[in-house]
Amino acid sequence: MPNATEHTPVTLVAGLNRTINARIAYTLLAPGTTVVSHDLRDVATGRVTRVEHRMSRDGVDTLTIDDIELEHGCVSCTLRLDLLPMLRVLHRDPEIRRIVVLLDPAVEPEQLAVEIQSTVVQAPHVDPGPAGLDVAVEATLCGLDARTWLADATGDLTLTEAEVTSLDDERTLSQIAVSQARFADAIIIEGADGVESAYELARLHAVLLRLAPSAGMRTLNSQQALTREIVEGAIGSMAPGTPRGRPTQPFDPLLAGGPDLEEDCGVRLVSFEADRPFHPERLHDALDVLLEGVVTARGRMWLASDPDDVMWLESAGGGLSILHVGTWLACVDDHSSVDPDHLALAALRWDPDHGDRHNALTVLCHRTDPDDVRRALADALVTDDELARGRQYVTSLPSPFGHAHRDPCEDMEPPQPEPAQQAKRTEGKQE
């Protein structure tokens, strides 16, 4: 059994392509390692197939396949009722030195990392607690198909429509594709020779290098075998600043890893900042600029109608969400429990009138004019004339946003508030 003070390292393998993911995961099968997977294609029926393939320290393979029956068939139930407790049990197995979790394409690795850290679970012969007491995500690997990934990452098909899951799941392929790649410490690209042209392959690389600038990356054609050396080489080449299992925080730097801000093959990362609030209705009207020709957008927002609230915007392909994720420090008297990095960021831009309130967005464009994006966002800000009318006027501006907003939407009524400790994504499908 591992020392009580040690964590068993976990490697997550994610991606939309089941075959590529499996090849990546099984290159890591070595003495003292187990590969665990849950097939969620039939989860709506309450049945999940769990596979554990382990190799003992003396090199003996054991394959175990179980059908897991769940009272409520959903992705979260599978994680909380089976995978997370299993991680706690495997940590106590003297044969196991490393766990590889082969994720179903419907699972976002960042959300699983949040669950590992914070979700209290029951496991046999173990006191209740989160799996993070016993295991730690050491690396997340993302496998992707060069022939289809960019189309998936910029479309608006839901997981149900794409037949990734039998659930009525309104998350989009683009949301999952972007989140899997962004959270990756290393990316393995297969099928490079199946792309229409060298230019299209270069465009794919330009997108990924801006989406996950610190990730190690390897690109293979159909004649190249995926080997353990290639996967370990990708892991070994990741630069400082990759997630390494750490979930995104709302005040993290939006340009972590130093992504290239110059245009390449029509791909460009736009950074937009403003020290004045957005006019809620004009922002709502401007959001379409983020749903066409854009891979993803994300960042912090200050809405004139909600001056205390930090709002988080995130888009992928044809879906976008806005959620309440916190309170500006200017509205908080006691900063003693605030993360030091957050305090440092606030101090750098503190204004005597509005404190740390600001707008900061990054937009990854691939088929739209970056100047159109900047102009649309700038035009959505409150004007000098509006600010001159005073705080009461500005804060009383009508708003289509509540604490959570999904676009495209059917009307201007705000949805019910939804608390969020993390920037959880709830993108909707574009009509």
Side-chain angles (χ1 to χ4, degrees):
M1 175 176 173
N3 187 294
T5 62
E6 295 177 348
H7 290 79
T8 301
V10 171
T11 299
L12 305 180
V13 181
L16 294 180
N17 188 296
R18 295 177 188 275
T19 303
I20 294 174
N21 298 346
R23 282 202 289 263
I24 294 170
Y26 280 98
T27 66
L28 300 176
L29 187 61
T33 299
T34 186
V35 178
V36 178
S37 64
H38 289 77
D39 189 328
L40 302 178
R41 279 175 285 192
D42 293 327
V43 69
T45 67
R47 190 180 78 251
V48 171
T49 301
R50 181 183 70 198
V51 178
E52 183 190 357
H53 190 160
R54 66 165 63 193
M55 184 180 290
S56 66
R57 296 197 183 197
D58 56 6
V60 176
D61 272 327
T62 303
L63 180 66
T64 304
I65 302 175
D66 293 304
D67 280 339
I68 308 300
E69 298 293 335
L70 300 173
E71 183 177 347
H72 301 288
C74 68
V75 175
S76 294
C77 289
T78 305
L79 299 180
R80 295 178 182 185
L81 300 179
D82 197 73
L83 176 58
L84 296 180
M86 189 178 185
L87 294 179
R88 301 206 69 192
V89 172
L90 289 173
H91 166 73
R92 288 161 173 79
D93 189 324
E95 283 290 324
I96 300 302
R97 291 182 292 196
R98 180 178 303 277
I99 304 167
V100 177
V101 180
L102 172 56
L103 298 178
D104 186 272
V107 177
E108 297 173 75
E110 183 172 9
Q111 184 57 41
L112 176 56
V114 172
E115 299 267 13
I116 288 173
Q117 287 187 6
S118 60
T119 300
V120 176
V121 295
Q122 301 277 351
H125 313 297
V126 183
D127 291 336
L133 293 173
D134 302 321
V135 303
V137 177
E138 185 179 59
T140 300
L141 311 182
C142 178
L144 60 88
D145 189 331
R147 297 162 293 187
T148 59
W149 186 86
L150 191 53
D152 290 337
T154 55
D156 57 15
L157 279 180
T158 67
L159 297 191
T160 306
E161 292 168 336
E163 299 182 347
V164 173
T165 178
S166 56
L167 293 170
D168 184 14
D169 195 329
E170 285 301 305
R171 291 178 301 158
T172 60
L173 276 181
S174 57
Q175 173 193 339
I176 304 302
V178 167
S179 67
Q180 289 169 342
R182 177 179 275 137
F183 198 64
D185 300 297
I187 297 173
I188 306 295
I189 305 167
E190 289 202 5
D193 51 344
V195 179
E196 290 184 2
S197 67
Y199 180 79
E200 289 302 313
L201 183 60
R203 290 186 73 247
L204 171 63
H205 283 136
V207 168
L208 292 171
L209 288 170
R210 287 156 179 78
L211 185 62
S214 298
M217 198 175 301
R218 294 292 185 272
T219 303
L220 308 177
N221 61 42
S222 59
Q223 304 303 310
Q224 294 174 287
L226 179 60
T227 64
R228 182 184 182 89
E229 289 71 27
I230 288 173
V231 174
E232 290 185 339
I235 296 172
S237 65
M238 60 188 185
T242 63
R244 295 177 185 264
R246 177 185 178 273
T248 302
Q249 303 299 319
F251 286 92
D252 286 348
L254 295 176
L255 296 175
D260 194 340
L261 298 181
E262 296 300 315
E263 185 270 339
D264 183 13
C265 299
V267 176
R268 185 160 187 173
L269 188 61
V270 175
S271 178
F272 177 85
E273 296 196 8
D275 288 323
R276 64 175 62 203
F278 278 119
H279 186 293
E281 291 184 327
R282 287 203 296 270
L283 174 64
H284 186 273
D285 293 341
L287 290 178
D288 281 350
V289 77
L290 303 179
L291 300 176
E292 294 289 344
V294 169
V295 179
T296 182
R298 66 184 341 211
R300 299 174 290 273
M301 296 198 309
W302 167 22
L303 300 183
S305 56
D306 299 282
D308 294 352
D309 296 336
V310 182
M311 307 300 286
W312 179 264
L313 177 147
E314 187 143 355
S315 78
L320 176 150
S321 70
I322 296 173
L323 292 178
H324 171 261
V325 291
T327 302
W328 298 108
L329 294 186
C331 311
V332 179
D333 293 330
D334 183 7
H335 296 168
S336 60
S337 61
V338 179
D339 180 80
D341 290 339
H342 181 183
L343 287 173
L345 175 67
L348 285 173
R349 62 188 316 147
W350 196 270
D351 181 271
D353 294 324
H354 55 255
D356 61 325
R357 298 180 181 92
H358 68 281
N359 289 296
L361 299 169
T362 58
V363 184
L364 182 52
C365 304
H366 81 115
R367 294 195 187 280
T368 193
D369 187 339
D371 290 337
D372 289 344
V373 173
R374 291 193 186 93
R375 186 162 44 249
L377 293 175
D379 288 347
L381 296 170
V382 171
T383 65
D384 288 338
D385 288 344
E386 289 165 334
L387 288 173
R389 298 181 66 173
R391 175 184 174 88
Q392 184 174 354
Y393 169 79
V394 172
T395 57
S396 66
L397 288 170
S399 173
F401 307 109
H403 282 325
H405 183 74
R406 178 178 298 171
D407 227 38
C409 60
E410 295 180 358
D411 52 42
M412 298 288 281
E413 292 297 322
Q416 293 300 310
E418 176 180 324
Q421 296 301 315
Q422 302 291 331
K424 295 183 181 177
R425 290 172 284 282
T426 55
E427 283 83 343
K429 180 191 172 189
Q430 186 177 17
E431 299 296 332

